[in-house]
Amino acid sequence: MTEKTQQTPASTPELPTQYAPAEVEGKLYERWVERGYFEADEHSKKPPFTVVIPPPNVTGSLHLGHAFEHTLIDALTRRARMQGHETLWQPGMDHAGIATQNVVERELAKEGKSRHDLGREAFVERVWKWKNESGGQISGQMRRLGDGVAWSRERFTMDEGLSQAVQTIFKKLYDDELIYRAERIINWCPRCLTAISDIEVEYQDDDGELVSMTYGEGEETIVVATTRAETMLGDTAVAVHPDDERYRHLVGKQIKLPLTDRTIPVVADTHVDPEFGTGAVKVTPAHDPNDFEIGRRHDLPSIAVMNERAVITVPGPFEGLDRLEARSAIVAALRAEGRIVAEKRPYVHSVGHCSRCKTTVEPRLSMQWWVKVGPLAQAAGDAVRDGRVKIHPQEMEKRYFDWVDNLHDWCISRQLWWGHRIPVWYGPNGEIVCVGPGEEPPSGEGWHQETDVLDTWFSSGLWPFSTLGWPEQTDSLAKFYPNSVLVTGYDILFFWVARMMMFGLYAMDGTPPFHTVALHGMVRDQFGKKMSKSFGNAVNPIDWMDKYGSDALRFTLARGANPGVDVPIGEDWVQGSRNFANKIWNATRFALMNGATIEGELPPAESMSSVDRWILSRLNKTVAEVDALYDDFQFAKLSDALFHFAWDEVFDWYVELSKTTFFAGGEQARVSGRVLGEVLDVMLRLLHPVVPFVTETLWTALTGRESVVVADWPKDSGFRDEAAEREIELVQQLVTEVRRFRSDQGLQPGQKVPAELTLAGTALAPHEAAVRQLLRLQPAGEGFHATASLPVAGVTVALDLSGTIDVEAERKRLTKDLAAAEKEKAQATGKLGNEAFLAKAPDQVVDKIRGRLAKAEADIERITGQLAKLPQS
């Protein structure tokens, strides 16, 4: 039927009556690691399957986003391992330059010191000490989640091998004139005292002020507006659109810059929108990226008015003031000169903040190192266009192209001490020397190394190949590059994915770093709101794992994972997944106690009951469906398919329909026991990648074999029995309809009722005993009086309810409910027929009343039917 793993049988453990995740998970994981299941052999003849972990920050701890992403990657790698691939899930951590330096600087501050008190070398030693003692908390939490990573291969972006890779590619890019040093506008954090990348800037709406003020005198007056009045001290022009008739007479003239002794020109530039505001903008090339470009086009000087701490440096009354203090002081001074035309407070606008310390980012002209991304980005775009790399879901391709086709040069230098120090030396006469691995740096008087370090994204961009030993041509690199798939969030498609694409293609002779990029969304709360400590809705996944088990958290996350779409999650959903794990546990215990086995070949189909053939047919269809969904990264759909197959078809129908067979014993019970064992074996293997712990415990108990981690992935045997499926569908229809009728009559689930079943000669005849057991129907004995008759699925079920319900009391209850439903219908119909009401009421109110009407009509139909089925007095 399906392949079995060839493993040494182990003794079958006795299953406790209840599943206790806390007593199982930790021991199982350590056993998996000790047995080396997650390690990868570069000399293996098996086809490779490689995934890298998006390296978490060494300062970080597991959050729901990590748990979500790791669950998906772990599911893919566990399945690939079971499919016979030599599977490598590459672990490691990122040195997280700014975040880690901030952590250690805060520790020093408690001692009354700063990094400058220690000096660079001693400070870096202090950071390494912190990393070795306190960093990497997330590694232990990954074990809690069940991450099947190759721990012996764990890497760190600043370990020796990766440092060599960084130096190698920097040297190569520099020699190819793709790295250069230049003065440009960058994102600057006045608190962290470094340039920061775009991804480290968080934008939020802040209350600010919009101030309109006049420049120039008399007929040469022009009005400009700004939210950053302090930058006017660095203005070197006013720009207008060349076709704007209002200012044509001023273009080329010099006008007075208020509060200074300077004049500045009026320039014409097509960047200016004549329809926005006054159609004139102040130009501060040293403090605004758009102004910097205008300045380059018109050869304007750039005047920096602030230092690295955002303190005004222009001589005069504002010198020494913080930028916000200067803003108020400058507006007051302009107001005193009568130059303020308008002030708008509060003026809500989007403002960038440092993601680490929340300080408002300052655009700043600075000498930095840059990557010329043009040819690299072109290659990264072409790799997707020509199909070498697939982006999933495909609709995300447009966002990818929008980004890589419009990339600006990348600022890679950071004014930190913790990180990869840029391998460039400066000489006493302006010499610049880039030093590669193994090369001796220049020495002598006046020579010194660049003090800046590289952006963290520079080293993490090398992750798919640097972790495999590049620049050395290692066996691991030959075996496991390129990666099979990259699983990551759409939010870093631009920042991390694009950089890995650029560097991978460049360093590896045009071979992209992965075949597929599978993008997922962000985890949100159950109402779809972003999780945040400030919102009070952030969740520590460890808490949920402690409470419900790791499998429950994993299954909840996987069941919400539609490609590229955000994932809502609530605690009650995790509780529901815990209930699913318990259901699997209890049903498997029942099966084991009733003869479920995998021993021997499956009996021939002709010796099986239609129930047996039905479940095997459904099993193989589920195998095929789950495989197709895995290949399409449809985690939510495959999890849902497994949930409904396990709970609905196996546990609620197959086990229940087979109980009479098991209780009767004999040859048919033996056949069904083998079928049930087969179904559980395959089902547990299918479930294992998503819920590894409970399935490992149950599968080894069922099979007596070593571990489901290294078992074979199930294959569709091709067995189908459409006739059996149609037959069992009729049984399900019959049972469902009678159960609904019983419920409508107020009967308790366990309450027995005499009944006649006219099944003889129909496909349902072999199932009479099971149907009676499921529906609690007694044989129609002496004195049987049919008070209700239900034609269902081509047969008739006659019930004697005379001794089970108070017919008159039930008729009164239903008559009262019917009157209430008819009253609700009349009220809703009246409102919807009132034109005046419809004209005034909001759409959502009208929709609500339409819903009430639909419900009332459905209730009337249902209650009327129940009244008609009541026995006559």
Side-chain angles (χ1 to χ4, degrees), residues 736-788:
T736 301
E737 286 299 317
V738 176
R739 278 177 173 167
R740 183 178 294 118
F741 176 76
R742 286 176 56 104
S743 175
D744 288 344
Q745 302 310 310
L747 295 176
Q748 295 301 311
Q751 191 171 354
K752 295 182 178 180
V753 178
E756 280 185 347
L757 304 180
T758 57
L759 305 183
T762 73
L764 298 178
H767 306 287
E768 180 165 353
V771 169
R772 286 188 176 277
Q773 173 68 25
L774 288 169
L775 292 173
R776 304 296 188 266
L777 300 181
Q778 295 176 319
E782 187 176 347
F784 175 81
H785 174 63
T787 58

Side-chain angles (χ1 to χ4, degrees), residues 393-409:
Q394 190 174 1
E395 54 265 27
M396 287 286 183
E397 281 187 5
K398 182 180 184 302
R399 296 179 63 179
Y400 176 78
F401 292 135
D402 286 346
W403 179 259
V404 297
D405 293 345
N406 297 284
L407 268 180
H408 298 295
D409 286 357

Side-chain angles (χ1 to χ4, degrees), residues 710-728:
V710 288
D712 291 331
W713 181 250
K715 292 181 179 178
D716 174 10
S717 71
F719 179 85
R720 301 288 189 276
D721 193 325
E722 301 299 335
E725 290 197 40
R726 287 193 295 271
E727 182 176 317
I728 302 306

Side-chain angles (χ1 to χ4, degrees), residues 164-445:
Q164 183 183 13
V166 168
Q167 194 174 357
T168 299
I169 201 161
F170 187 99
K171 171 71 171 174
K172 181 174 170 60
L173 289 163
Y174 182 86
D175 289 346
D176 288 346
E177 298 184 350
L178 293 173
I179 283 183
Y180 64 94
R181 188 170 183 249
E183 201 172 37
R184 297 281 190 275
I185 293 285
I186 45 88
N187 301 309
W188 181 264
C189 176
R191 158 62 185 81
C192 298
L193 299 180
T194 182
I196 59 177
S197 65
D198 291 338
I199 199 172
E200 292 164 321
V201 179
E202 294 179 347
Y203 288 89
Q204 66 184 49
D205 288 341
D206 286 357
D207 287 344
E209 60 180 359
L210 181 66
V211 179
S212 299
M213 51 196 175
T214 59
Y215 284 13
E217 304 287 355
E219 294 183 357
E220 296 180 353
T221 296
I222 197 165
V223 177
V224 298
T226 183
T227 58
R228 301 162 65 215
E230 69 279 8
T231 63
M232 60 88 58
L233 299 175
D235 287 357
T236 56
V238 170
V240 298
H241 194 276
D243 298 332
D244 195 331
E245 295 289 345
R246 294 171 295 174
Y247 304 117
R248 183 163 291 178
H249 67 290
L250 291 177
V251 174
K253 293 187 175 181
Q254 296 281 329
I255 61 173
K256 178 174 174 53
L257 179 66
L259 308 182
T260 72
D261 57 1
R262 293 190 292 117
T263 60
I264 57 176
V266 177
V267 299
D269 195 281
T270 54
H271 170 76
V272 180
D273 180 0
E275 303 299 324
F276 183 76
T278 64
V281 297
K282 57 190 288 299
V283 181
T284 322
H287 292 279
D288 184 274
N290 293 322
D291 293 3
F292 177 78
E293 296 301 326
I294 293 175
R296 290 178 65 177
R297 287 194 289 272
H298 297 276
D299 198 25
L300 300 173
S302 296
I303 301 175
V305 301
M306 286 177 251
N307 64 15
E308 68 276 6
R309 297 184 184 276
V311 172
I312 301 298
T313 56
V314 178
F318 311 110
E319 185 176 9
L321 295 180
D322 170 82
R323 57 183 164 170
L324 298 181
E325 297 171 332
R327 183 175 301 170
S328 299
I330 286 171
V331 170
L334 290 168
R335 190 182 298 111
E337 289 191 3
R339 290 188 173 273
I340 299 297
V341 176
E343 297 178 72
K344 185 175 182 180
R345 295 189 188 88
Y347 178 72
V348 179
H349 62 133
S350 182
V351 177
H353 296 259
C354 174
S355 63
R356 301 297 177 192
C357 66
K358 311 309 177 187
T359 302
T360 299
V361 169
E362 189 65 40
R364 184 169 187 255
L365 185 63
S366 180
M367 182 66 77
Q368 303 284 346
W369 284 92
W370 304 80
V371 171
K372 186 183 296 183
V373 299
L376 302 174
Q378 176 69 43
D382 289 345
V384 175
R385 287 188 177 93
D386 62 25
R388 282 175 290 158
V389 177
K390 306 286 187 188
I391 292 181
H392 190 279
Q394 190 174 1
E395 54 265 27
M396 287 286 183
E397 281 187 5
K398 182 180 184 302
R399 296 179 63 179
Y400 176 78
F401 292 135
D402 286 346
W403 179 259
V404 297
D405 293 345
N406 297 284
L407 268 180
H408 298 295
D409 286 357
W410 171 21
C411 175
I412 56 171
S413 46
R414 298 291 180 266
Q415 290 64 55
L416 304 170
W417 287 357
W418 173 245
H420 295 283
R421 194 167 176 181
I422 291 176
V424 168
W425 271 255
Y426 302 108
N429 299 309
E431 302 97 329
I432 299 180
V433 176
C434 180
V435 178
E439 298 177 357
E440 287 294 323
S443 58
E445 187 176 349

Side-chain angles (χ1 to χ4, degrees), residues 53 56 62 70 91 138-147 149 151:
I53 193 172
L62 191 75
H70 290 199
I138 197 171
S139 295
Q141 296 168 334
M142 288 165 57
R143 292 171 181 264
R144 280 290 312 277
L145 189 64
D147 286 4
V149 300
W151 287 112

Side-chain angles (χ1 to χ4, degrees), residues 522-585:
M522 317 310 294
V523 179
R524 298 182 178 272
D525 72 11
Q526 64 197 86
F527 305 108
K529 191 174 181 180
K530 180 180 177 181
M531 285 192 173
S532 166
K533 290 181 181 178
S534 60
F535 294 154
N537 63 350
V539 173
N540 183 348
I542 300 296
D543 293 342
W544 280 353
M545 286 192 279
D546 287 344
K547 194 170 183 180
Y548 303 110
S550 298
D551 284 334
L553 176 64
R554 289 171 61 115
F555 192 72
T556 304
L557 291 166
R559 205 172 177 193
N562 290 297
V565 178
D566 288 347
V567 183
I569 185 172
E571 184 170 2
D572 55 336
W573 303 344
V574 185
Q575 186 175 352
S577 295
R578 188 271 313 274
N579 296 343
F580 179 50
N582 289 342
K583 183 78 170 179
I584 300 171
W585 183 272

